[in-house]
Each structure stands twice: as C-alpha cells, then as structure tokens.
C-alpha cells in the first residue's frame, strides 16, 4: 500500500521496517509492493483511506492499523491532530492552566499564604501553550508512524466514489504532496497523488459558525483567531454562552481582561440542566465576568485597529451597544461538508450539513464512512475517538458496541468546572420509555474538599426506571459544577452507560476525603439512604 504519483518524477521510498509484530510486517510488505506499482504509474491502493487527521480521523487510523489494515491518512494542514490538538481542546486547556493558577493564588490568603498577582505574562502563556501543542502533534506523528500509517499532506477530494478513489493535491503554497512514513521524514511525491481504497473514512471536521448578521472580520474573531492572539485584550465581548464562550471568558478574565458575555437566554450553558447553568453563571460573575442575559445581537461594527462595537437588544427590548477591543463569536460550529465533491458522494445529509450514518459510522454510499464533527451529535473529541475505534473495528468485520450519544459526558473547563452526562429532569420527564423520574440535589458544601476549595458548586442526579426494566431504578443523568467536575463525570458516565442499578452504584466506596466522595454521597441521597446530608 502506497499512494501513486500522478506525475512520476519522484519514486516514493518505503518506510523503515519495524519488526514489532507480524501484522506490521504485512503492512510494510504492502507498502513495498505498491511503491513498486507506483513507480510504474499504476494507482496506489490502501485498505483504508481517511480524510482528516483530527480525533475522528486519527483514532480510526490507529485502530485500523492495529487490526492489520493498510492505512493512508490525508491531512491538508501542516500539523496533525485537527481542531482538537491545534485549535481546540489542547491549546485552550493549556491556557486554562494559567486560570487555575490565578484561582489558587486568589485563594492563597485564606490558607495562610501571603501571595498576590503582580502581573500575568501572556507571552509566556502563549509559549507554554505552543510547546504543549507541538509536543502533542509531534507525538501523534510518531505514534502514527509506529503503527505503520502512511500520512499524506495535501488537499483530498473523493474523485470517484464508486471506485473509492481519492485524489490528493499539493496545497498551502507547496507544489508537492508530502508523504510521511517515518515521523519527521517527508518525501515529495508529486503534485497530485491518487489512492484507491476498499474503504474511505470522511473525517473533515467543522469550523466556527459566523453570526447571522456579520461574518468574522477585523476585531470580530472566532476561537481559532482567539487562540492566535499574542496579548490579552483589555476588554472583550463574548457572544454565546456555550463551552467556547465560557472557556475564553475564564482564560481572558484570569489574564486581567474585562469580559462581558452577551447571552441569548437567562444563564450560561442554557442547553444544560438548569441548576448547573445557574450555579456556573453565579460563579462566573463572582470572578468578575459581566454577563448580560436575554440579549439578541443586531449588528457589529468593526474596523482595522478600531475594536468592535456590538449592537444588541436587551431583555426589555431596548437597543444597546457595547464597545470592546475584541468581540469573540462562539455560537457553535458547522460541519465541513459543503465542498462540491462531498455533496456528490451520494451520502445523506441533514439540514445542518451533517452526514447521516448508522450507529457504526457507515453512510448510505457503499464503502464510505463518516466520523467526528461531520456527523450529528455532540461535537467532542472524546466521542470522535470512540466513533473512530468503532468504525475501524466494524470495517475489519468485528462485532463491536456503537457509541451511545446519550451517555457521552461533556465538560466545560471553567473555574469551577461544569460537567454533564445523560438527560436533564425536563428531558427525562418527556421520554415515554421512562417512569418514576425524579431528581435529587446534593448540597456540595457538605463535602470537605469542596469546603476547602473556596468555590461554590452544585450536583444533581436524575434517576428513574426504564419501562423495559420495571422496578429497577437507574441513574439517567448527572450534572455537576465543582472544581474537579471533569474527574467525577467519568464515573457517572460508566454508571449511566452500563445501566448500573442505583442501589448497586450507591453501595460503592469512594476514597476519603475527595471531591469524588461527593458523587458517592449524592448517589446515597438519590437512593434514599443519605449519610452526611439530611
Ligand atoms: C476552542 C475549542 C475547544 C475544544 N475543546 C474540547 C475539549 O476540551 N474536549 C473535547 O472533547 N472537545 C473539544 N473541542 C471539540 C473538538 O475539538 C472536536 O470535536 C474534534 O476536534 C472533532 O474531531 P474531528 O476529527 O471530527 O475533526 P477536526 O478535529 O476538525 O479535524 C478535521 C481535520 O480534517 C482536515 N481536513 C478537512 N478537509 C480536508 C481535506 N479535504 N483534505 C485533507 N484534510 C482535510 C482539517 O484540516 C482537520 O485537520 C473543542 C473545540 C474547539 C473549537
Ligand atoms: N470543553 C469542551 O468539551 C469544549 C470546549 C470548547 C468547544 N467544544 C465544542 O466545540 C463546539 C462549539 O462550541 P460552542 O461553544 O461554539 O458551541 P455550543 O453549541 O456549545 O454553544 C453555542 C452557544 O451559542 C448560542 N447561540 C447560538 N446561536 C446564537 C446567536 N445567533 N446569537 C447568540 N448566541 C447564539 C447558544 O445559545 C449556545 O449558548 C461544540 O460542539 C462544543 O462541544 C467543547
């Protein structure tokens, strides 16, 4: 397996042999065989070709290669890892590390440390973020090479869906498609490369949604531009109240920026459970973030070096404006499925442009699969990883468990964190397959570690019975706001996804004294056996 070069000025060399496993040897032999074919001008072949190297694409590639399939992964960007590693999860969390440190210093006097913040060096924050990103993307390149995945750098299009032919063209100012078989070693392999595969996996990801009234321009920026800033803005307006809005409010506010959030509803995370949204909104305000609820954006004025003036109507219907150095639009993302070649694949798409698949990632078109943000469901790296594994195993003929979107946990890495999995009380009440739905609220400050943290929080558990299993109460949803919510939600996800009965889940111990103990106590409370609560 290797790509063929349409202009055969260069014969690709084979990668170094890695004798770790027999499967790897098979793959390397395929590489050699098709490299010879490529030299004679025949089309390159692979068992699987994947378009896009984000979490969905690279997880599929890693698992497919592990299962002994020959894999080509195509990425048009310079770095591997897609949005998550380069413009999403990793850089934001690297910057949030600073926000955590700021919180710790603010809390320091309460625990006997005389500490104040005399300045925040955003340049150092950016260097730190870039170093983390580089380490992760280079690590991914090394891992892919180790598994025998051939990486091509160029713009991919599916040119013949029926034959599963993908054409890769040099892009980004380069006149050659680059081929990586070893980490860090590239070979030029022509301006255009064709690869024919048994299976094509689409993993082209998503991009920020612009405001209906104004595209991104000047000081009206998206999250990618926000991550490229080399200074903290003095003032910023953030439009939206989802994960991106709340995380940038946390980062910039910690860096000394005066942040105003213009939100459509009465609370941040309005599509989450009410208690979490209300608690988090209060905590963000307590940290100095200005939140204006029930607004509707009517226009934005921007100009080079002139900042951004956002026009909106407030809760009373009054026309208002707010001026700031920057305005960040964070109102969701659109799937990258609008290219003509993608529309011509013969796959079904929903009204938002998401590709429709079955539970295993298979589209309507034979041999074409889709993974990650281009499919309908939570736009999360964690989900894309799990989908990628499922697709690779299904393509290899394995019997595997599909991803259950209803049991995918979401975390917002604010201060404090917010985390959710499963359904809210309102959603559970509306479902016809559930009976005896109820909600119990655990008072977070009765947990010792919560008390020590100096932060407020909330935790609620939604439970009920599934009609198919009457008499067995199970956990249906868990919603947490707490400094370590991201660590606690994993346990809740296991309990919900594996449908562990509430009486069994609540009988497990939790190390003492920990934040996770709060979840154990909340389960006991939900099961009608409260210990340290009334
Ligand atoms: C600011 C931000 C923070 C986030 N934080 C988190 C978080 O903390 N936790 C979490 O779980 N999720 C987070 N996410 C979401 C997460 O990043 C995405 O869900 C995830 O990256 C989706 O993976 P993907 O593989 O579907 O697509 P992407 O990661 O978008 O990757 C798609 C790749 O395909 C490439 N591509 C597209 N078209 C072509 C083509 N024609 N040829 C070649 N290559 C192509 C693109 O260059 C890109 O590299 C965050 C997102 C953002 C924006
Ligand atoms: N920690 C994480 O897991 C994390 C962090 C960042 C981003 N992400 C992912 O990235 C994607 C994008 O995040 P996001 O925060 O942009 O989207 P989101 O879907 O989380 O939130 C969008 C917000 O924008 C608001 N909104 C929508 N249209 C609007 C309009 N016209 N005017 C004003 N407000 C409007 C919505 O009410 C909502 O509050 C999501 O899929 C998210 O899961 C995840």
């Amino acid at each position: 397996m290797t790509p063929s070069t349409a202009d055969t000025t260069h014969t690709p060399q084979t990668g170094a042999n890695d004798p770790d496993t027999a499967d790897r040897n098979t793959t390397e032999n395929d590489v050699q065989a098709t490299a010879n074919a490529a030299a004679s001008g025949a089309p390159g072949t692979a068992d699987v070709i994947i378009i896009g190297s984000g979490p969905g694409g690279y997880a599929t590639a890693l698992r497919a290669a592990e299962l002994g399939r020959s894999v080509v992964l195509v990425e048009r960007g310079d770095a591997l890892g897609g949005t998550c590693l380069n413009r999403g999860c990793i850089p934001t969390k690297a910057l949030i590390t600073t926000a955590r440190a700021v919180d710790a210093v603010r809390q320091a006097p309460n625990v006997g440390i005389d500490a104040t913040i005399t300045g925040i060096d955003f340049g150092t924050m950016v260097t730190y973020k870039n170093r983390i990103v580089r380490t992760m993307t280079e690590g991914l390149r090394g891992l892919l090479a180790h598994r025998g995945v051939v990486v091509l750098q160029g713009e991919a299009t599916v040119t013949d869906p029926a034959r599963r032919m993908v054409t890769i063209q040099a892009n980004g100012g380069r006149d050659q498609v680059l081929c990586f078989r070893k980490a860090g070693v590239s070979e030029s392999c022509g301006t255009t490369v064709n690869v024919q595969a048994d299976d094509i996996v689409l993993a082209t990801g998503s991009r920020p949604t612009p405001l209906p009234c104004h595209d991104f321009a000047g000081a009206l920026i998206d999250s990618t531009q926000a991550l490229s800033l080399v200074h903290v803005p003095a003032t910023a307006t953030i439009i939206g109240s989802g994960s991106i809005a709340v995380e940038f409010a946390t980062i910039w506010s910690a860096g000394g920026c005066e942040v105003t959030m213009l939100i459509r509803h009465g609370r941040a995370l309005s599509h989450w459970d009410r208690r979490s949204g209300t608690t988090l909104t209060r905590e963000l305000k307590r940290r100095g973030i200005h939140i204006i609820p029930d607004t509707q954006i009517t226009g934005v004025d921007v100009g080079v070096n002139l900042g951004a003036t956002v026009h909106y109507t407030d809760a009373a219907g009054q026309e208002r404006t707010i001026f700031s150095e920057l305005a960040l639009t964070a109102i969701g993302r659109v799937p990258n499925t609008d290219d003509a070649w993608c529309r011509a694949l013969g796959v079904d798409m929903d009204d938002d442009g998401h590709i429709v698949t079955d539970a295993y990632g298979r589209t309507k078109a034979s041999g074409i699969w889709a993974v990650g943000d281009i499919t309908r469901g939570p736009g999360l790296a964690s989900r894309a990883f799990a989908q990628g594994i499922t697709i690779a195993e299904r393509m290899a003929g394995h019997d595997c468990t599909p991803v259950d979107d209803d049991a995918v946990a979401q975390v917002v890495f604010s201060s404090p964190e917010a985390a959710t999995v499963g359904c809210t009380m309102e959603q559970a009440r509306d479902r016809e397959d559930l009976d005896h739905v109820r909600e119990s609220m655990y008072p977070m400050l009765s947990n010792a570690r919560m008390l020590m943290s100096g932060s407020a929080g909330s935790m609620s558990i939604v439970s009920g019975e599934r009609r198919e299993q009457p008499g067995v109460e199970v956990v249906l949803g868990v919603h947490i706001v707490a400094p370590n919510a991201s660590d606690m939600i994993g346990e809740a996800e296991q309990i919900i996804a594996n449908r562990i009965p509430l009486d069994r889940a609540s009988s497990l111990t939790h190390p003492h004294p920990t934040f996770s103990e709060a979840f154990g106590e909340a389960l006991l409370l939900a099961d009608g056996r409260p210990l340290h609560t009334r």
Side-chain angles (χ1 to χ4, degrees):
M1 168 276 310
T2 203
S4 77
T5 57
D7 60 345
T8 49
T9 50
H10 179 93
T11 305
Q13 299 154 18
T14 56
N17 276 334
D18 177 344
D20 277 357
T21 64
D23 281 350
R24 290 288 320 285
N25 281 338
T26 310
T27 305
E28 295 294 344
N29 291 340
D30 288 347
V31 171
Q32 181 63 60
T34 322
N36 295 339
S40 67
T45 59
D47 291 338
V48 185
I49 183 160
I50 299 162
I51 304 177
S53 76
Y58 85 69
T60 313
L62 289 171
R63 184 66 184 128
E66 209 169 41
L67 291 169
R69 306 197 78 197
S70 57
V71 182
V72 171
L73 177 66
V74 191
E75 172 55 55
R76 65 180 169 197
D78 290 338
L80 301 180
T83 304
C84 176
L85 263 62
N86 298 284
R87 304 172 289 280
C89 329
I90 300 303
T92 46
K93 274 58 200 196
L95 293 176
I96 278 172
T97 312
T98 306
R100 294 285 148 82
V102 168
D103 253 16
V105 176
R106 290 210 176 116
Q107 169 71 353
N110 296 336
V111 295
I113 298 172
D114 185 11
T116 47
I117 298 167
T118 55
I120 290 177
D121 179 358
F122 197 68
T124 305
M125 281 172 74
V126 169
T127 306
Y128 173 75
K129 174 203 77 172
N130 291 345
R131 194 175 67 241
I132 299 281
V133 167
R134 200 167 46 249
T135 305
M136 299 288 294
T137 54
E138 285 172 6
L140 174 60
R141 204 178 273 286
L143 185 58
L144 288 163
H146 176 76
R147 295 262 172 100
V149 174
V150 173
V151 175
L152 295 180
Q153 188 178 331
E155 178 83 29
T157 52
V158 180
T159 37
D160 186 343
R163 291 175 57 229
R164 290 180 292 279
M165 176 71 81
V166 175
T167 300
I168 301 107
Q169 286 179 305
N171 70 337
R174 283 178 296 268
D175 62 359
Q176 295 279 308
V177 174
L178 298 180
C179 176
F180 296 80
R181 291 190 180 81
K182 284 194 219 169
V185 182
S186 66
E187 307 149 29
S188 298
C189 54
T191 53
T192 304
V193 174
N194 292 311
V195 180
Q196 190 176 16
D198 293 343
D199 292 293
I200 295 176
V201 181
L202 307 170
T204 51
S206 61
R207 61 182 187 279
T209 308
L211 279 171
C213 62
H214 207 301
D215 208 347
F216 301 107
L220 180 64
I221 61 172
D222 62 22
S223 59
T224 304
Q225 292 165 301
L227 282 167
S228 327
L229 295 177
V230 290
H231 72 285
V232 182
T235 52
T237 304
I238 299 182
I239 302 164
S241 70
S243 322
I244 293 183
V246 170
E247 290 186 358
F248 274 99
T250 304
I251 294 167
W252 284 343
S253 163
C257 171
E258 197 182 305
V259 177
T260 303
M261 293 176 72
L262 296 180
I263 68 179
R264 276 204 300 195
H265 303 287
R267 57 182 192 272
L269 303 182
S270 53
H271 49 305
W272 287 35
D273 121 282
R274 177 175 296 277
R275 182 167 303 266
S276 302
T278 308
T279 308
L280 186 68
T281 304
R282 198 178 55 230
E283 286 304 294
L284 294 174
K285 284 183 180 170
R286 212 159 67 85
R287 284 160 175 78
I289 295 165
H290 190 39
I291 299 181
I292 307 182
D294 303 310
T295 58
Q296 197 175 345
I297 310 300
T298 52
V300 184
D301 295 328
V302 289
V304 180
N305 298 328
L306 290 180
T309 303
V310 180
H311 304 272
Y312 64 96
T313 50
D314 67 11
Q318 292 284 316
E319 283 287 340
R320 306 264 176 204
T321 60
I322 179 169
F323 173 81
S324 51
E325 189 182 325
L326 286 176
L328 168 67
T329 301
I331 60 166
R333 292 177 65 86
V334 277
N336 290 328
T337 55
D338 33 16
D339 284 342
W341 64 264
C342 198
R343 297 274 159 178
L345 287 174
V347 302
D348 282 339
M349 289 190 197
D350 69 12
D351 291 345
D352 298 325
H354 292 105
I355 294 176
V356 177
T357 69
D358 68 9
Y360 299 95
R362 198 193 306 264
T363 70
K364 201 177 81 176
S366 170
I368 300 184
W369 308 70
V371 64
D373 281 10
I374 55 169
T375 61
R376 190 164 199 82
L380 294 169
S382 47
R383 170 178 178 258
F385 295 142
Q387 283 181 308
I389 292 171
T390 301
I391 289 175
E393 293 181 353
R394 199 66 178 179
M395 283 188 307
H398 289 225
D399 192 13
C400 53
T401 310
V403 180
D404 175 3
D405 279 348
D406 291 337
V408 173
Q410 293 186 49
V411 176
V412 174
F413 294 82
S414 42
S415 292
E417 294 176 344
T420 183
V421 60
C423 46
T424 62
M425 185 61 187
E426 291 74 23
Q427 290 164 341
R429 270 203 194 118
D430 287 347
R431 275 176 49 177
E432 289 185 352
D433 59 329
L434 301 174
D435 280 326
H436 307 301
V437 170
R438 61 200 180 87
E439 184 175 31
S440 64
M441 265 79 72
Y442 172 74
M444 282 303 269
L445 286 177
S446 54
N447 174 270
R449 295 296 301 283
M450 216 35 219
L451 202 58
M452 293 172 207
S453 76
S455 173
S458 63
M459 183 181 290
S460 53
I461 293 184
V462 179
S463 58
E465 293 174 19
R466 292 179 196 277
R467 289 236 165 116
E468 66 202 30
Q469 229 183 341
V472 179
E473 189 170 12
V474 289
V475 179
L476 301 166
V478 175
H479 314 284
I480 310 173
V481 176
N484 287 34
S486 57
D487 295 325
M488 285 187 263
I489 206 70
E491 181 185 351
E493 181 172 343
Q494 289 294 325
I495 289 172
I496 292 175
N498 292 316
R499 301 188 175 190
I500 313 280
L502 180 58
D503 57 352
R504 272 185 44 215
S506 61
S507 299
L508 295 176
T509 66
H510 289 80
H512 173 75
T514 56
F515 284 101
S516 74
E517 219 180 356
F519 184 52
E521 291 267 350
L523 287 167
L524 278 171
L525 180 64
D527 196 34
R529 302 183 292 140
L531 184 60
H532 292 101
T533 50
R534 292 180 192 172

